[in-house]
Amino acid sequence: MKLISHNFEKDTSGSVTLKAEDKEDLFTLYNLIQKRDEIRLKTFRNIKKEGKSKADKKLLTLTVSVEDMDFIPEDENMRIKGKTTTPTEDVPVDSYHSFEIDYQYPFTLKKDSWDAVSVEVLQTACNTDNKAEMGAVVLQEGVAHICLITQNMTMLKTKIEKPIPKKKRGDSKDHDKSLDKFITLTAETVIRDLNLDNLKAVVLASPGFLARNLYDKIFQIATSQNDKVLHSHKAKFVVTHSSTGYLQGLEEVLKNEEVQKKLSDTKFAKDVLILDEFFKRLNDDDCTAWYGPQECKKAVEMGAVKNLLITDSLFRSDDISKRQQYIELSDLVRSTGGDVNVFSSLHESGKQVDQVTGVAVILKYPVPDLDEEEEEEQ
Amino acid sequence: MSGSDTEGKPLSKLQILARARAQKNSEQAAVDSSVGSVSILDSLKRNRLSNETPSSASSSSASSANTGLGKLASLRSSTSSGSTKSISILDSLRQKKEGPGSASTSTATLLQSDAKKKPMTKLQELAASKAQRSNSINNKPLKSVATSTPASPQSEKPVNPQSASSLASTEASHITNDKTTPLTFADLIPKPLAASATATFFQNINPISSFSALFAISIPTKPSSYKRKLKELNLNTVNFPDTNIPLAKKIKTNFNSASPDDIALKAQSQSQSQSKQKAKEEEVKLSEAVSSLKITPKSVTKPKFKTDIQAELLKRKTKPNTSFVIIGHVDAGKSTLTGRLLLDQKIVDKNTYTKLQREAEKQGKGSFSLAWVMDQSPEERSRGVTIDICSTQFATPNANFTIVDAPGHRDFIPNMITGVAQSDIAVLVVDSSVNAFEAGFNLDGQTKEHTVLARSLGIEKIVVAVNKMDNVDWSEARFEEIKGQFTEFLKMVGYKEDQCSFVPCSGLSGLNVSQRPQVGSADERRLNWYHGGPSLLEVLEQSDKFERDVDLPFVLSVSEINQSNSEFSGRVETGMIQVGETVSFAPSGQYGVVDSIKLNETLDSSRIAIAGDTATIKVRNITVEEILPGDLMTVVSNEIPIGDKFESKLVLFDLKKPVLLGMQFVLFRGNTQQPAKISKIISLFDKVTGEVSSKKKPKHLSSKQTAIVEIELVGRKIPLQLFKDNKHLGRFVLRKDGDTIGAGVVEKI
């Protein structure tokens, strides 16, 4: 995201002019823009003038108070719906409009209150240094998933499914042949669907030796097609292990040390490790891992929190007081020396945090019965 | 009485109603009045008498109650014949007592208070008739009368007509003050209650203390019927002076019949409902036609040939088809043992074997030659690991065997599960070499996981082949050590001692695999301590015959598909199928006629395939591409539910991290695998008591918990079978991150 200008007032209100650059930015905006924010942007409208039979397409600048937002990651589409606040020559005030954020025109976002989370979201989005995209292929015999993992989301690019016959005693030709076909198909799809120039790494993962076979196949194809660009990216490929070829295998991949090293400072890789630690503690039942808004609030107030795990969907809440509550919670954690990890709900890790109410804590020391006190109060 | 005067209007309403009633019951009333020829004094006396002997009333046999009611009737009729005021009040008082809301009472009370103004025989007739009615009713529920009679009034004082009368007068005015309500009260009291009230009256004529209490009872208990009565009242009553009887009658009849508007509306609605009904009927017909459209071609077809089913069943009883799977830790020697069995059974001829030996030696893997019988893919040979299952068949004089060689490496457990799913017995191979057994038996070894999986997938017999005994010089101590450790573990997993057997053997040398060592040989001396126990193959042969569910509908789980021939292979899970019958596939919903059936690997053509057989079935007119391995083939009359959600009882094993709602894992059922998640935790069983725990519902499950959960499949729907219908396909196991996390059975779809 490009920050073109900003203008913050003392009363935390203010406006920024931004330009989105990729779908990652669209998701950031989806998290940043809230209902009742004001947005001013250029958009084409069909204007029908009296006396004319045909409508003219005209580039207008509209100022809209946001009422609804929608984001579809697969389509790279971020739609905003709202009511105009200032009249223009062609568009009256208080008329409803919906439009998409595009990568072409900058726009100005005005908020009555810029809270800490909003500012942080904006800052991280405008910092291009820690942008990392990673390709990942998880496969097993007959099933392959090719995905793109970005800062904020995991996207399934292609899913390949092909039944492979079982080997028979004395004759495994059918099996071998269709397995080879399957690998070739997967390799070709990887080359076609993943734009290696933008990727920090490509991870191939499977149970057994399939991933290694795929790696060999990809460079066999590269050699036969004399694809020098592909060869130059050879160092980006990591072959690793997963227990399954289904999408859930990705979790294992991200925990892999070699992959972690490649992605070193990227946020989502760290998130996976923190979530893993949380689950481990939850499973051990050593009272250092809790989830649920009430439990977490209590733990935070005690100052016992080491890590606060929270998903961006909570900050996206329509209820401003709720959002404020979580922001205060985050601030409190930071002030008591804890870390706040905001999980993206478009990653598998974020989805899992969402499953446990969206907010969870890892404590510095065990605090038993956080939930039982709760019951007494009730 | 002032009440009745001031409230003239409502009263007149009541009277009209009463009159209508009276007309209805005029015949009865006539009879009644004729009975009432007894003098008042007499009746009073009798009443007193009944009060003095309350026991007779309380016992309230049918006859006593009857006579009691007769008295009441006579009393009433006596008032009707121009009685004194006090008596009439007394009468009303009695009736009030008698009827805390009884049908006859309050009406009568009203009427009597009215009677003081103008003697109205008609009304009194009504009273009498009412009494008569309740009398006739009371004949029946006598028991309830007896039981509901309060016991206390029996000790009441004798009647004092004078004092009672004054009280009664006030009470009576009270009642009349209530305007319309007394009547409605009266009418809506359930009849048994009225009856009981009557009985009370006979027991205690003047229990002044219980007076008000009784009165208090007369509150309506059924508001719904109260409303109904009120409606009726409004319909039947018009504000006309009570003298104008004919007019009132006319009005009543007019209002009782439908108004012109009503008639028109009724006709309209009738025609409407008729057309509606017609449309509905048509709809039903159409839907029937549509559904029958679907069903007609899917009809059941008869077998092409006449087959002696009993003979076929007997054949399978005397020489059963048994399948076993070879499982165990990686490098325990599973494939070598399988190769040895096949070599001994001459399934693999000498020439092929020598060729394999040469190839293996060329690659410097001489000891792998036997394993290569099963592991043919270049990948498997170069790496020296079995990757996929491989099944083959052989026959001994006593049994037909299907042998499935499963991979041991943890990455290929999904394949191993497929192998276990199609077997009856599991041969668990353990490496007896020093440290090798321990390595396989450790936390990370596959020996334990394989055993747990076998148990979870319903394998009922387990044979532990203590392999590579030649490496430990056939040491009895080593064998016993392994046996001891393993028996404990098997018990923990849930196997009983008679379900497990232990056999020392060596796959590489072939000792004690298919034959016992020769008598007198060096091998026999080494195995001296085994006391000539059975060889591995003998143990398999001796194993119990497995009961097959031949009576259930035919179900086959498809494991192999030959697209060009439209042939489907798999194990027949339940029931039987014959050539010429129609089968359908789930979930694709296709159906076709069975063209031919081939049994076993030798592909002997057969007319019938029965549960337990491995069959290759050719089906005509089918889009083969739509059928995937793991689909179910069934006889067309049997419907297999297809779904992506089911309720199950789930047992969790040792977990590295908790299972959360919505967390994805891989579900294995038969030879299908599918990503799935838990969508709902329905209930959790307490670890200690084994009962449903009362704690608030958790959002996650942790190690060793048992719970009823709803599992949702991700991706596509699969055909489901309940555990009670199918012991194999009703089971499933869950794996995540390369570990088996739980096992369960399908309980509700």
Side-chain angles (χ1 to χ4, degrees):
Chain A
M1 195 124 58
K2 229 177 219 166
L3 182 64
I4 293 166
S5 71
H6 62 89
N7 178 25
F8 293 116
E9 305 290 337
K10 271 192 181 145
D11 61 345
T12 71
S13 70
S15 64
V16 288
T17 306
L18 300 164
K19 194 173 130 186
E21 287 171 319
D22 54 21
K23 57 188 168 296
E24 195 77 355
D25 292 344
L26 295 183
F27 183 66
T28 308
L29 288 174
Y30 183 54
N31 283 322
L32 190 65
I33 300 172
Q34 280 173 295
K35 282 179 192 174
R36 289 178 291 277
D37 284 352
E38 218 175 78
I39 194 161
R40 183 177 171 83
L41 80 173
K42 279 183 178 165
T43 174
F44 280 102
R45 297 284 112 171
N46 283 329
I47 306 295
K48 202 175 168 184
K49 283 254 168 73
E50 259 178 79
K52 269 190 177 174
S53 61
K54 246 176 111 185
D56 284 334
K57 210 170 182 189
K58 229 172 157 185
L59 185 64
L60 297 173
T61 306
L62 296 180
T63 311
V64 181
S65 165
V66 177
E67 296 207 344
D68 201 15
M69 284 165 300
D70 201 9
F71 177 62
I72 306 160
E74 284 75 22
D75 299 352
E76 287 196 28
N77 191 336
M78 157 91 186
R79 289 185 74 80
I80 292 176
K81 208 177 111 182
K83 219 153 95 178
T84 50
T85 53
T86 46
T88 64
E89 191 189 328
D90 303 295
V91 180
V93 72
D94 274 359
S95 62
Y96 278 94
H97 284 267
S98 76
F99 43 82
E100 289 172 19
I101 299 278
D102 57 21
Y103 304 144
Q104 201 182 347
Y105 299 109
F107 61 90
T108 306
L109 176 68
K110 194 176 155 203
K111 269 179 187 291
D112 288 340
S113 161
W114 285 87
D115 51 44
V117 171
S118 305
V119 173
E120 200 188 317
V121 165
L122 191 64
Q123 271 169 356
T124 34
C126 296
N127 185 353
T128 44
D129 292 345
N130 47 15
K131 258 200 181 170
E133 282 193 13
M134 184 181 98
V137 185
V138 278
L139 72 162
Q140 70 186 46
E141 272 188 32
V143 184
H145 290 86
I146 300 168
C147 316
L148 192 68
I149 304 171
T150 65
Q151 185 78 6
N152 288 325
M153 50 191 146
T154 307
M155 269 177 298
L156 176 64
K157 280 263 183 191
T158 325
K159 181 182 179 186
I160 299 168
E161 256 184 311
K162 195 173 175 349
I164 291 171
K166 290 256 170 310
K167 63 174 186 176
K168 283 185 194 127
R169 189 177 58 81
D171 172 32
S172 65
K173 268 186 213 133
D174 274 358
H175 170 264
D176 298 345
K177 223 161 92 190
S178 47
L179 188 63
D180 186 60
K181 261 190 195 161
F182 167 71
I183 299 249
T184 313
L185 180 68
T186 311
E188 282 166 352
T189 318
V190 169
I191 295 167
R192 193 182 62 232
D193 279 7
L194 294 182
N195 186 354
L196 291 168
D197 299 331
N198 296 342
L199 298 182
K200 218 171 180 181
V202 179
V203 183
L204 311 177
S206 78
F209 324 104
L210 225 51
R212 175 60 59 186
N213 292 355
L214 179 66
Y215 176 82
D216 294 342
K217 186 59 99 186
I218 288 171
F219 289 101
Q220 191 187 320
I221 292 173
T223 313
S224 67
Q225 289 176 350
N226 204 11
D227 189 340
K228 277 182 194 145
V229 182
L230 190 54
H231 270 295
S232 69
H233 289 307
K234 199 165 181 171
K236 286 184 181 173
F237 280 82
V238 183
V239 175
T240 173
H241 176 272
S242 73
S243 68
T244 173
Y246 292 109
L247 214 49
Q248 48 192 285
L250 268 184
E251 285 171 55
E252 289 170 62
V253 172
L254 291 176
K255 272 178 242 160
N256 185 293
E257 271 179 38
E258 207 181 331
V259 179
Q260 282 284 338
K261 237 183 268 165
K262 282 246 174 201
L263 299 168
S264 54
D265 53 342
T266 44
K267 180 174 155 285
F268 64 85
K270 276 186 210 156
D271 285 353
V272 171
L273 293 183
I274 284 165
L275 185 66
D276 203 40
E277 190 190 337
F278 170 73
F279 283 138
K280 224 170 257 163
R281 288 177 182 225
L282 192 61
N283 197 41
D284 292 346
D285 216 4
D286 62 358
C287 300
T288 55
W290 293 96
Y291 60 78
Q294 294 302 324
E295 286 86 346
C296 290
K297 203 175 161 211
K298 260 185 217 156
V300 171
E301 280 162 6
M302 290 163 89
V305 176
K306 191 175 132 225
N307 289 93
L308 177 74
L309 292 72
I310 189 162
T311 57
D312 53 17
S313 53
L314 287 182
F315 289 125
R316 240 178 357 241
S317 167
D318 283 340
D319 188 347
I320 291 201
S321 65
K322 225 174 172 180
R323 180 186 157 99
Q324 202 54 46
Q325 202 182 311
Y326 286 116
I327 290 168
E328 276 164 20
L329 203 65
S330 311
D331 288 345
L332 203 57
V333 171
R334 283 204 190 92
S335 64
T336 54
D339 277 334
V340 179
N341 298 83
V342 182
F343 283 69
S344 164
S345 52
L346 286 184
H347 275 312
E348 187 55 38
S349 52
K351 278 178 199 158
Q352 287 181 10
V353 178
D354 260 343
Q355 285 296 338
V356 284
T357 68
V359 54
V361 285
I362 300 176
L363 304 185
K364 295 172 192 160
Y365 48 85
V367 180
D369 303 334
L370 266 178
D371 56 339
E372 270 169 31
E373 272 173 55
E374 165 71 13
E375 272 164 19
E376 276 164 32
E377 275 171 30
Q378 281 171 354
Chain B
M1 296 309 104
S2 59
S4 62
D5 288 332
T6 48
E7 307 292 338
K9 269 190 178 182
L11 254 179
S12 66
K13 269 192 205 174
L14 297 177
Q15 280 155 359
I16 288 166
L17 170 64
R19 227 165 276 138
R21 287 263 162 84
Q23 275 161 5
K24 233 198 264 171
N25 298 321
S26 58
E27 274 176 46
Q28 273 185 348
V31 172
D32 238 56
S33 54
S34 71
V35 176
S37 57
V38 197
S39 73
I40 310 150
L41 255 169
D42 215 344
S43 66
L44 261 171
K45 253 189 213 163
R46 276 188 218 170
N47 282 337
R48 218 179 260 179
L49 206 82
S50 67
N51 194 31
E52 278 160 13
T53 54
S55 58
S56 69
S58 65
S59 69
S60 67
S61 67
S63 61
S64 75
N66 256 341
T67 49
L69 281 160
K71 276 178 229 159
L72 166 66
S74 64
L75 246 174
R76 279 190 187 139
S77 49
S78 66
T79 48
S80 72
S81 61
S83 58
T84 61
K85 195 179 175 186
S86 65
I87 295 278
S88 77
I89 293 165
L90 181 64
D91 200 9
S92 75
L93 157 71
R94 276 196 207 118
Q95 276 154 350
K96 216 149 52 79
K97 264 199 270 168
E98 148 206 357
S102 101
S104 50
T105 333
S106 349
T107 330
T109 321
L110 266 174
L111 298 176
Q112 268 138 19
S113 56
D114 212 52
K116 268 126 250 169
K117 266 197 304 190
K118 300 172 200 167
M120 288 189 66
T121 42
K122 276 250 175 182
L123 288 176
Q124 269 138 15
E125 258 177 80
L126 164 70
S129 73
K130 280 259 180 180
Q132 174 80 357
R133 250 205 316 194
S134 66
N135 183 8
S136 65
I137 292 152
N138 287 346
N139 276 341
K140 281 175 199 166
L142 265 173
K143 268 187 190 160
S144 68
V145 171
T147 50
S148 57
T149 310
S152 56
Q154 291 180 6
S155 56
E156 294 297 334
K157 291 165 207 160
V159 191
N160 184 350
Q162 293 303 322
S163 61
S165 68
S166 60
L167 235 164
S169 63
T170 54
E171 281 296 330
S173 65
H174 240 259
I175 288 191
T176 41
N177 262 337
D178 280 344
K179 299 172 199 169
T180 55
T181 36
L183 178 64
T184 43
F185 277 12
D187 277 355
L188 53 83
I189 293 299
K191 294 203 165 138
L193 218 145
S196 77
T198 324
T200 336
F201 162 58
F202 287 118
Q203 277 180 7
N204 49 322
I205 289 179
N206 192 16
I208 296 164
S209 60
S210 64
F211 207 94
S212 52
L214 279 168
F215 183 57
I217 300 166
S218 69
I219 288 157
T221 46
K222 276 192 176 178
S224 64
S225 68
Y226 171 84
K227 264 186 200 159
R228 189 166 57 80
K229 284 290 162 187
L230 203 65
K231 222 186 206 169
E232 194 178 282
L233 193 75
N234 287 338
L235 270 177
N236 290 340
T237 50
V238 182
N239 268 346
F240 273 96
D242 46 357
T243 44
N244 204 345
I245 297 164
L247 186 62
K249 234 196 226 170
K250 199 181 167 190
I251 288 165
K252 189 184 164 267
T253 46
N254 275 350
F255 271 90
N256 275 349
S257 62
S259 75
D261 269 4
D262 282 344
I263 292 166
L265 278 170
K266 201 178 169 189
Q268 272 176 9
S269 68
Q270 221 167 14
S271 67
Q272 258 176 6
S273 71
Q274 262 177 1
S275 61
K276 255 187 199 166
Q277 200 157 5
K278 243 186 189 174
K280 226 179 198 176
E281 272 168 23
E282 271 172 25
E283 210 171 88
V284 168
K285 264 186 201 167
L286 200 71
S287 71
E288 270 173 8
V290 167
S291 58
S292 64
L293 240 175
K294 231 160 89 188
I295 287 162
T296 359
K298 230 179 162 180
S299 62
V300 178
T301 49
K302 287 240 167 68
K304 206 168 161 189
F305 310 103
K306 252 194 171 169
T307 321
D308 188 348
I309 293 170
Q310 286 312 315
E312 291 280 344
L313 280 174
L314 195 69
K315 216 161 80 186
R316 281 164 180 80
K317 255 199 186 128
T318 49
K319 198 173 173 183
N321 289 325
T322 308
S323 54
F324 60 92
V325 60
I326 313 266
I327 55 175
H329 187 58
V330 66
D331 287 339
K334 293 176 294 298
S335 297
T336 305
L337 191 68
T338 314
R340 172 61 67 187
L341 265 171
L342 295 179
L343 195 66
D344 286 349
Q345 294 304 315
K346 313 221 160 38
I347 299 297
V348 182
D349 58 67
K350 272 262 147 43
N351 286 343
T352 323
Y353 180 56
T354 18
K355 208 176 122 200
L356 278 176
Q357 260 180 324
R358 225 180 299 127
E359 279 176 33
E361 266 159 30
K362 224 198 258 164
Q363 290 195 23
K365 294 182 174 176
S367 63
F368 279 92
S369 54
L370 273 169
W372 284 15
V373 171
M374 291 308 242
D375 298 349
Q376 306 102 357
S377 76
E379 189 80 45
E380 288 177 321
R381 287 191 178 174
S382 64
R383 295 182 193 273
V385 226
T386 311
I387 291 174
D388 207 349
I389 53 162
C390 182
S391 68
T392 190
Q393 282 161 332
F394 65 90
T396 67
N398 300 323
N400 292 316
F401 283 112
T402 305
I403 178 168
V404 182
D405 180 30
H409 195 280
R410 60 177 300 153
D411 273 3
F412 310 121
I413 284 182
N415 299 336
M416 171 258 175
I417 290 172
T418 316
V420 174
Q422 58 198 58
S423 306
D424 304 311
I425 306 175
V427 176
L428 187 66
V429 183
V430 290
D431 190 342
S432 65
S433 317
V434 184
N435 290 334
F437 167 74
E438 284 73 13
F441 201 63
N442 271 343
L443 204 67
D444 256 359
Q446 262 63 67
T447 314
K448 277 184 174 170
E449 189 174 8
H450 278 200
T451 317
V452 169
L453 280 170
R455 171 75 189 157
S456 312
L457 290 163
I459 297 279
E460 282 174 12
K461 183 154 175 64
I462 203 152
V463 179
V464 182
V466 184
N467 197 23
K468 303 196 186 175
M469 281 298 279
D470 44 349
N471 282 358
V472 289
D473 201 24
W474 300 92
S475 150
E476 184 187 2
R478 181 67 175 161
F479 178 75
E480 289 300 331
E481 184 194 343
I482 290 171
K483 188 177 172 177
Q485 275 196 42
F486 222 94
T487 313
E488 277 309 303
F489 174 65
L490 285 171
K491 268 189 208 156
M492 234 168 67
V493 174
Y495 281 108
K496 293 188 195 88
E497 220 151 306
D498 59 338
Q499 286 178 301
C500 327
S501 33
F502 291 82
V503 184
C505 65
S506 165
L508 197 64
S509 73
L511 184 61
N512 212 28
V513 173
S514 35
Q515 276 170 340
R516 301 178 193 200
Q518 273 182 340
V519 184
S521 67
D523 291 338
E524 206 223 352
R525 276 197 298 281
R526 276 194 208 129
L527 259 179
N528 201 10
W529 51 269
Y530 192 52
H531 304 300
S535 68
L536 180 60
L537 191 60
E538 280 173 321
V539 171
L540 292 173
E541 278 185 323
Q542 284 162 11
S543 62
D544 303 333
K545 311 281 174 281
F546 291 94
E547 283 297 318
R548 311 282 185 203
D549 299 323
V550 286
D551 299 327
L552 291 174
F554 165 75
V555 174
L556 176 140
S557 131
V558 178
S559 59
E560 286 283 319
I561 299 161
N562 186 332
Q563 291 214 350
S564 49
N565 292 340
S566 98
E567 283 178 342
F568 305 90
S569 318
R571 213 164 93 106
V572 183
E573 298 280 345
T574 55
M576 53 184 89
I577 194 79
Q578 297 185 46
V579 174
E581 286 189 282
T582 306
V583 289
S584 65
F585 289 86
S588 67
Q590 295 197 70
Y591 46 88
V593 178
V594 174
D595 205 33
S596 69
I597 297 174
K598 291 176 200 161
L599 288 188
N600 306 335
E601 212 172 57
T602 45
L603 301 178
D604 310 319
S605 65
S606 165
R607 290 172 180 182
I608 188 168
I610 300 179
D613 293 353
T614 306
T616 303
I617 295 174
K618 185 170 179 174
V619 185
R620 276 195 302 238
N621 305 330
I622 279 231
T623 317
V624 188
E625 289 74 22
E626 282 184 22
I627 294 154
L628 295 169
D631 287 2
L632 297 185
M633 188 197 282
T634 183
V635 70
V636 88
S637 53
N638 182 32
E639 194 90 22
I640 289 183
I642 302 155
D644 54 3
K645 242 186 210 175
F646 60 86
E647 218 176 284
S648 75
K649 190 176 176 184
L650 180 69
V651 182
L652 292 169
F653 303 140
D654 282 314
L655 305 178
K656 284 185 187 150
K657 58 184 193 180
V659 178
L660 295 154
L661 283 181
M663 187 190 268
Q664 290 205 356
F665 42 74
V666 187
L667 176 134
F668 292 86
R669 200 283 315 267
N671 48 7
T672 25
Q673 47 174 307
Q674 179 87 18
K677 61 185 179 189
I678 293 177
S679 50
K680 216 193 273 170
I681 298 173
I682 294 163
S683 58
L684 197 66
F685 292 92
D686 195 276
K687 273 182 204 171
V688 186
T689 60
E691 277 169 29
V692 174
S693 130
S694 54
K695 259 192 166 181
K696 68 171 180 180
K697 275 182 196 169
K699 278 191 151 69
H700 73 267
L701 297 171
S702 45
S703 291
K704 303 204 166 152
Q705 280 183 326
T706 307
I708 305 281
V709 296
E710 186 185 80
I711 290 180
E712 195 181 325
L713 298 162
V714 180
R716 68 180 200 131
K717 293 182 175 183
I718 64 167
L720 294 167
Q721 293 270 277
L722 293 176
F723 178 64
K724 63 179 169 68
D725 296 336
N726 196 318
K727 294 277 174 290
H728 261 122
L729 295 174
R731 291 174 183 274
F732 62 86
V733 291
L734 306 178
R735 302 193 85 237
K736 179 164 182 64
D737 297 354
D739 295 313
T740 304
I741 57 168
V745 294
V746 182
E747 292 203 323
K748 212 163 94 188
I749 297 169

